[in-house]
Amino acid sequence: QVQLVESGGGSVQAGGSLRLSCAASGYTNSRHSMGWFRQAPGKEREGVAAMDCDGLINYGDAVKGRFTISQDNAENILYLQMNSLKPEDTAMYYCALYPRCRWSGLLAPSAYTYWGQGTQVTVSS
């Protein structure tokens, strides 16, 4: 059974940094696609960053130049380094996994099969 467990969220002041982690387990296909999403109260879930099975990366427009997605394949951990945080980055952050290769549409929630429980990020001004 696939499990995704996020960690690393917290409260920071604007301009600060956080690194989120997502530990993945329970799947055997090494070629998969993963992404980070966020959802603020009253808003739709938004694609933040995604990596396809060839390592190609897409970022949402709101985070380009500030956030970096990376993956430790040996440890099956997905990371999201978040720098220059803004109050509008405040949201619950989720990681997601599609257990096969997908090379397009990876910033859409509908592209993913499995989701973590989320970790809260709060940025104060």
Side-chain angles (χ1 to χ4, degrees), residues 30-101:
S30 62
R31 289 181 63 75
H32 54 272
S33 305
M34 294 190 75
W36 286 99
F37 290 78
R38 66 187 183 186
Q39 189 166 19
K43 294 190 176 181
E44 293 187 353
R45 192 164 294 192
E46 173 190 19
V48 173
M51 180 181 293
D52 72 17
C53 56
D54 292 324
L56 296 178
I57 291 170
N58 284 312
Y59 292 101
D61 289 341
V63 307
K64 283 180 181 176
R66 299 188 298 123
F67 290 12
T68 303
I69 187 173
S70 61
Q71 187 170 5
D72 182 333
N73 289 318
E75 298 293 331
N76 291 337
I77 300 175
L78 184 73
Y79 297 102
L80 183 69
Q81 178 66 44
M82 306 186 295
N83 298 328
S84 301
L85 282 161
K86 305 175 181 179
E88 51 264 44
D89 294 319
T90 295
M92 186 72 80
Y93 283 71
Y94 300 90
C95 70
L97 182 145
Y98 179 71
R100 287 181 286 279
C101 286

